[in-house]
């Protein structure tokens, strides 16, 4: 790696910050990343030698690697995530807060000497196309080569960003350490981290803005461009600057007649955003193209419409459950040049996970590095195992996915995993009602964050873990949009639920490619001609409104999916009231009015 790792910036602020961090963290050396293929290859080789990476077979998965994390370091750590705004009030009722100077003092102590014996990598990265008006530059300093390799897939990284910064450009400093300094001669481990959860800190300082992350090497805790910068910090900038940073996929849907609509959708973590974003429609003649699967930056365009842009360049998708049936385009995307984390290694040099749609290998090595057989009675891959793959490899990537201006939205969807009550699809009466639906979104929890799975968690706009400021102000910001543009130009808002179950526990709706039937109706509504009935909860497709040609749904399922369960909704309302109470007394009046109106409509419907 002799010619790699050299510093090429003359930006004095950047040089000064890196030097300050070098003195704080005392690494053995400093390596400036240029983002080249040669650098990526060299770092992957280094990780293969260190045991962090296993190279997969060139016949099976060319250019791909498998990593296994420490068993304590497998998901985002929400209880160790902090928003250190000036006041607790600014962080709001849903975020952990600590006084910024106190937190910095604590962090400085932890980072002191934290990179001893390791290389400090300097990663220049951009979120958003470099020419986009919304593009934000970050510099991540990390002692993890795994983070460098993932950041190269997930962001625009390297020399082009140094060039964009030039002499005077500004950047968001993002400091990361796995928190495992090496004493002289101490052997390294394959996945260094701070195993004690109390020693992990994912900390955001919105006023700087800056990010400090200590103790974890996994996903959103460590790839600081993603959840930390592009959502938590970006949401605070967006509020100030009048745009939106959202936990949303972006897709384009084209009808057989060639009419194209762009749709953004917010679902909580691990609710199938990646599946929907690159779905293969079952409806003949319809196509879906993908623009992003996790984050959308949205602004009012010159024509008054909302334009969405994906700030990332890769997919960090949940592996278990991904199959040719659930997501054929993801399976094609990950055929090569992909990093897999915490999945099963098969004897032929490939990978496998639960519900991959192919038979399990007779034996393999599980995500913890142990010999494993399907009969072992344990899961071979971790439920939050991931693939990191370049978006450009997706066979249905939209030609405009890197458009600096973004794409104009026709519709916004909210959703979550809800076994009961919430219908298959429900259209908001207007923008304010749409914000109400987004604010009361909830989902039965999954493995994407540490904590108990399967309980209903309210997750407004799917932003609960990602909103970098007071959630109540965030809701107010959404409500301010009709004041920023012509209301008629705003996208229509819908709430969808692919996850309904019958009383005997069977799925009522097949999901995946069949969701194109719902998206078709969404487009029809946008164009003003989809059939709907007005119900107490919103506009729901009338009995014959969804195109069901070729889908043999068991009798009664559609009725159940499109009916309003008054009893269930009354319980839902009680739960929303309780959640709103937790958010505090300062809730925008529009939301409490929407809730009261819903209550009234339900009462008069009985
Ligand atoms: C993710 C998440 O990794 O939302 O995208 O947890
Ligand atoms: Mn996500």
């Amino acid at each position: 790696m002799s010619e790699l790792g050299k510093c090429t910036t003359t930006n004095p602020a950047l040089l000064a910050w890196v030097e300050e961090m070098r003195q704080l963290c005392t690494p053995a050396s400093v390596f400036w990343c240029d983002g080249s293929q040669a650098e990526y290859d060299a770092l992957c080789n280094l990780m293969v030698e260190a045991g962090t990476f296993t190279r997969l077979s060139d016949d099976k998965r060319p250019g791909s690697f498998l990593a296994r994390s420490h068993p304590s370091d497998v998901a985002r750590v929400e209880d160790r995530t902090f928003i250190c705004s000036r006041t607790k009030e600014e962080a709001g009722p849903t975020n952990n807060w600590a006084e910024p100077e106190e937190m910095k003092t604590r962090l400085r102590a932890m980072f002191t000497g934290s990179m001893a014996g390791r290389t400090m990598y300097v990663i220049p990265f951009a979120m958003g196309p470099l020419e986009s008006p919304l593009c934000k530059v970050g510099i991540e300093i990390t002692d993890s080569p795994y983070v460098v390799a993932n950041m190269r897939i997930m962001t625009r990284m390297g020399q082009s960003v140094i060039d964009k910064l030039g002499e005077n450009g500004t950047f968001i400093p993002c400091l990361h350490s796995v928190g495992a300094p090496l004493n002289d001669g101490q052997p390294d481990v394959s996945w260094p981290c701070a195993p004690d959860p109390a020693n992990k800190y994912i900390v955001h300082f919105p006023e700087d803005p800056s990010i400090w992350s200590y103790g974890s090497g996994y996903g959103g805790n460590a790839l600081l461009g993603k959840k930390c910068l592009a959502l938590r910090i970006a949401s605070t900038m967006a509020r100030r600057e009048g745009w939106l940073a959202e936990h949303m996929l972006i897709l384009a849907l084209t009808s057989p007649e060639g009419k194209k609509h762009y749709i953004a959708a917010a679902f909580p973590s691990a609710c199938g955003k990646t599946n929907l974003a690159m779905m293969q429609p079952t409806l003949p003649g319809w196509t879906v193209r993908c623009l992003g699967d996790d984050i959308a930056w949205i602004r009012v365009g010159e024509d008054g419409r909302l334009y969405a842009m994906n700030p990332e360049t890769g997919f960090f998708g949940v592996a278990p459950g991904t199959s040719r049936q659930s997501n054929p385009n993801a399976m094609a995307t990950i055929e090569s040049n992909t990093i897999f984390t915490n999945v099963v290694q098969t004897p032929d040099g490939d990978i496998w996970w639960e519900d991959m749609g192919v038979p399990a290998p007779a034996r393999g090595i599980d995500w913890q590095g142990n010999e494993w057989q399907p009969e072992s009675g344990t899961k071979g891959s971790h439920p939050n195992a991931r693939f990191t793959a370049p978006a450009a490899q997706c066979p249905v990537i939209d030609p405009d996915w890197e458009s600096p201006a973004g794409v104009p939205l026709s519709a916004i969807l909210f959703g979550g995993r809800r076994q009961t009550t919430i219908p298959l699809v429900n259209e908001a009466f207007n923008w304010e009602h749409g914000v109400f639906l987004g604010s009361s979104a909830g989902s039965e929890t999954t493995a994407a964050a540490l904590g108990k799975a399967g309980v209903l968690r309210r997750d407004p706009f799917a932003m609960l873990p990602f909103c970098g400021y007071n959630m109540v102000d965030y809701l107010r910001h959404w409500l301010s949009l009709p004041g920023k543009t012509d209301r008629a130009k705003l996208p229509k808002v819908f709430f969808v639920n692919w996850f309904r179950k019958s009383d005997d526990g069977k799925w009522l709706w097949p999901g995946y490619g069949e969701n194109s039937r719902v998206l078709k109706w969404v487009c029809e509504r946008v164009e003003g001609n989809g059939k709907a009935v007005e119900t107490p909860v919103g506009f729901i497709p009338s009995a014959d409104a969804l195109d069901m040609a070729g889908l043999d749904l068991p009798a009664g399922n559609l009725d159940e999916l499109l009916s309003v369960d008054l009893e269930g909704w009354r319980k839902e309302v009680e739960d929303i009231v309780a959640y709103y109470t937790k958010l505090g007394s300062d809730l925008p009046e529009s939301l409490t009015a929407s809730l009261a109106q819903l209550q009234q409509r339900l009462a008069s419907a009985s």
Side-chain angles (χ1 to χ4, degrees):
M1 279 210 271
S2 53
E3 69 283 43
L4 297 173
K6 295 254 157 35
C7 171
T8 56
T9 185
T10 51
N11 183 302
L14 176 52
L15 289 167
W17 179 62
V18 171
E19 177 54 19
E20 196 192 328
M21 294 305 107
R22 190 190 66 76
Q23 288 184 21
L24 179 69
C25 305
T26 61
S29 57
V30 178
F31 185 107
W32 290 75
C33 300
D34 65 10
S36 63
Q37 185 67 43
E39 173 182 280
Y40 182 80
D41 294 342
L43 288 178
C44 290
N45 286 337
L46 196 92
M47 283 190 276
V48 169
E49 275 165 35
T52 306
F53 266 3
T54 301
R55 188 185 301 281
L56 298 176
S57 152
D58 261 344
D59 296 335
K60 301 276 176 193
R61 303 268 163 193
S64 301
F65 299 89
L66 165 67
R68 288 183 204 101
S69 76
H70 188 275
S72 69
D73 198 21
V74 291
R76 287 183 293 95
V77 283
E78 292 179 7
D79 57 337
R80 306 303 306 156
T81 300
F82 294 82
I83 303 294
C84 294
S85 38
R86 249 176 330 227
T87 64
K88 187 169 170 32
E89 169 67 17
E90 283 164 281
T94 60
N95 284 313
N96 299 315
W97 176 85
E99 200 285 318
E101 278 318 310
E102 268 173 34
M103 179 56 96
K104 277 193 184 161
T105 304
R106 197 181 323 169
L107 287 172
R108 262 189 226 106
M110 302 192 75
F111 275 96
T112 299
S114 69
M115 298 188 186
R118 300 192 180 279
T119 301
M120 181 172 112
Y121 298 93
V122 182
I123 310 173
F125 68 95
M127 301 313 292
L130 295 173
E131 331 75 84
S132 166
L134 291 184
C135 175
K136 301 281 181 242
V137 168
I139 305 288
E140 177 160 356
I141 287 181
T142 179
D143 52 5
S144 162
Y146 172 87
V147 165
V148 181
N150 277 269
M151 285 290 282
R152 181 166 184 268
I153 297 175
M154 296 304 297
T155 72
R156 295 164 177 87
M157 164 191 150
Q159 190 56 42
S160 56
V161 179
I162 290 290
D163 295 343
K164 180 180 165 78
L165 265 185
E167 277 286 309
N168 303 313
T170 57
F171 60 91
I172 299 169
C174 308
L175 177 62
H176 171 251
S177 172
V178 292
L182 291 169
N183 298 323
D184 272 352
Q186 183 184 339
D188 204 355
V189 292
S190 59
W191 187 278
C193 66
D196 179 358
N199 272 342
K200 297 194 209 288
Y201 282 88
I202 320 296
V203 187
H204 308 73
F205 297 97
E207 269 88 40
D208 291 354
S210 67
I211 300 161
W212 301 52
S213 165
Y214 183 91
S216 166
Y218 203 86
N221 299 332
L223 314 179
L224 301 186
K226 192 175 183 55
K227 303 301 188 181
C228 298
L229 194 158
L231 285 176
R232 297 194 192 98
I233 291 294
S235 64
T236 67
M237 298 173 131
R239 180 195 180 199
R240 245 190 341 264
E241 298 166 5
W243 51 283
L244 302 161
E246 299 302 324
H247 190 204
M248 289 182 179
L249 66 89
I250 313 167
L251 64 80
L253 184 71
T254 306
S255 71
E257 298 75 40
K259 270 202 195 141
K260 191 167 188 176
H261 287 288
Y262 296 100
I263 298 175
F267 305 149
S269 306
C271 283
K273 283 210 302 298
T274 308
N275 294 345
L276 185 66
M278 50 186 86
M279 166 238 272
Q280 204 145 286
T282 49
L283 280 180
W286 289 77
T287 58
V288 163
R289 293 288 173 264
C290 173
L291 292 100
D293 79 330
D294 196 40
I295 300 178
W297 285 358
I298 303 174
R299 67 190 177 94
V300 180
E302 271 162 28
D303 61 0
R305 296 186 69 188
L306 294 193
Y307 281 72
M309 179 263 274
N310 171 15
E312 303 189 280
T313 55
F315 305 123
F316 182 65
V318 177
T322 306
S323 68
R324 295 233 172 264
Q325 194 246 332
S326 68
N327 194 337
N329 290 316
M331 293 303 279
T333 306
I334 61 177
E335 275 173 9
S336 60
N337 308 317
T338 297
I339 299 169
F340 297 91
T341 307
N342 287 347
V343 300
V344 174
Q345 181 184 348
T346 62
D348 58 356
D350 201 1
I351 42 81
W352 182 87
W353 50 72
E354 279 71 20
D355 300 318
M356 195 188 201
V358 293
R363 59 188 178 82
I365 301 177
D366 73 7
W367 70 275
Q368 305 205 55
N370 300 317
E371 285 288 334
W372 177 85
Q373 295 179 322
E375 311 72 62
S376 302
T378 56
K379 285 201 175 1
S381 58
H382 186 276
N384 193 35
R386 298 283 178 145
F387 54 78
T388 319
Q393 289 187 185
C394 178
V396 295
I397 199 77
D398 190 85
D400 285 329
W401 80 280
E402 298 203 85
S403 158
V407 293
L409 292 178
S410 298
I412 290 179
L413 317 183
F414 297 111
R417 270 175 202 275
R418 297 295 303 272
Q419 293 188 25
T420 59
T421 312
I422 311 300
L424 178 63
V425 57
N426 178 26
E427 180 192 330
F429 295 123
N430 52 37
W431 183 260
E432 286 74 11
H433 184 229
V435 176
F436 167 71
L437 293 182
S439 79
S440 56
S443 192
E444 283 129 24
T445 49
T446 66
L450 289 185
K452 203 167 160 212
V455 292
L456 176 64
R457 163 166 115 151
R458 293 278 156 205
D459 189 349
F461 286 71
M463 282 289 277
L464 182 67
F466 308 122
C467 182
Y469 61 102
N470 192 312
M471 182 59 83
V472 174
D473 291 330
Y474 168 87
L475 298 172
R476 203 169 275 122
H477 184 47
W478 265 84
L479 286 166
S480 74
L481 273 175
K484 292 185 170 50
T485 186
D486 175 356
R487 176 183 276 279
K489 294 192 171 160
L490 288 170
K492 275 189 181 286
V493 180
F494 299 81
F495 201 100
V496 298
N497 177 22
W498 320 133
F499 300 96
R500 278 291 290 277
K501 282 189 174 169
S502 60
D503 291 342
D504 55 359
K506 295 213 175 77
W507 295 114
L508 288 175
W509 180 250
Y512 307 120
E514 303 295 0
N515 293 335
S516 55
R517 298 172 193 277
V518 174
L519 297 189
K520 177 180 175 186
W521 182 76
V522 164
C523 292
E524 287 167 354
R525 293 296 292 168
V526 165
E527 289 166 10
N529 44 28
K531 286 199 245 165
V533 281
E534 185 170 345
T535 77
V537 302
F539 292 113
I540 290 186
S542 40
D544 58 344
L546 291 182
D547 183 344
M548 298 296 282
L551 176 62
D552 210 4
L553 215 55
N557 278 23
L558 196 59
D559 278 355
E560 206 170 335
L561 285 161
L562 299 179
S563 65
V564 178
D565 162 12
L566 290 174
E567 205 34 56
W569 273 100
R570 284 194 197 107
K571 289 202 190 102
E572 180 73 8
V573 163
E574 272 171 37
D575 202 70
I576 299 171
V577 169
Y579 187 68
Y580 271 14
T581 308
K582 276 196 210 149
L583 289 182
S585 54
D586 199 25
L587 265 190
E589 215 184 287
S590 155
L591 292 178
T592 41
S594 289
L595 181 57
Q597 285 155 14
L598 171 60
Q599 251 165 334
Q600 251 162 32
R601 287 192 301 265
L602 290 170
S604 41
S606 37

